[in-house]
Amino acid sequence: MLRQMPEFDTVPKIYLAGPDIFLPSAAAHAQAKCALCAKFGLHGTAPFNPDLDFALPAETLWRKIYADDVTMMRASDAVIANLTPFRGASADAGTLVELGWFLGRGMPVFGYSNNAEPFAARARRQAALDDPVPGLAIEDFGLADNLMIEGSLTLPLFLPPDGVSRGFDSLEVFSRCVEAAARWFMDSAGSPRHR
């Protein structure tokens, strides 16, 4: 059972990183994630801007998206990253940049993946299709993703508890991660920027 959140100057703001923005139902998905954060006493902010003008020239648009995302990250106390493999054996590249941004500032970094398959198995399968140099070593520490990703996390990576992968847009594992992050903030003596 989740205990009462201690008093902070503000409710901890959590940047919700991940490739969820590419889902056909991205707006509804972002709202659902923010609602789950609120349920556990956190303020989730998703990098979804329904007011973006997609008629802008591509260079103007991508720069605006980048600037908006960095502004949201600067206003956040931590990140929860969707590290479910995205279009490859590992997590989304943009999400990993965001994760590194928080890590580099000494801020809490939480992550989850809906994929229960070990990283090495996914990497071997991908290497069989398009390895740039035959015979490259495959990292195999029994982890769910690259050791640098898992090593950067404040708490262990949250995975499906029964070892069965969930759909990419499932919120079950995300919910467990949010609950644990809320507990972490409670236990960190009321300091939202403590790592």
Side-chain angles (χ1 to χ4, degrees), residues 63-135:
R63 288 184 186 279
K64 173 154 182 42
I65 292 169
Y66 174 83
D68 288 352
D69 289 358
V70 170
T71 297
M72 283 189 281
M73 293 183 332
R74 285 188 176 128
S76 298
D77 298 304
V79 61
I80 293 179
N82 179 352
L83 299 172
T84 304
F86 184 71
R87 296 182 174 154
S90 194
D92 171 59
T95 302
L96 296 176
V97 169
E98 293 165 332
L99 186 147
W101 189 94
F102 281 90
L103 178 68
R105 283 160 177 73
M107 299 169 83
V109 176
F110 305 99
Y112 74 96
S113 175
N114 288 333
N115 191 310
E117 183 181 25
F119 174 66
R122 296 191 311 268
R124 281 187 187 92
R125 193 169 48 254
Q126 184 174 343
L129 299 175
D130 63 359
D131 226 3
V133 177

Side-chain angles (χ1 to χ4, degrees), residues 124-185:
R124 281 187 187 92
R125 193 169 48 254
Q126 184 174 343
L129 299 175
D130 63 359
D131 226 3
V133 177
L136 286 175
I138 292 187
E139 178 184 307
D140 189 356
F141 292 101
L143 299 173
D145 215 315
N146 178 281
L147 70 91
M148 294 302 288
I149 296 171
E150 293 211 31
S152 73
L153 301 175
T154 302
L155 297 174
L157 181 65
F158 284 83
L159 298 166
D162 58 3
V164 178
S165 295
R166 303 300 195 268
F168 182 83
D169 59 348
S170 171
L171 295 177
E172 177 189 342
V173 181
F174 170 76
S175 182
R176 291 179 54 244
C177 183
V178 171
E179 182 176 8
R183 216 177 280 121
W184 183 90
F185 274 100

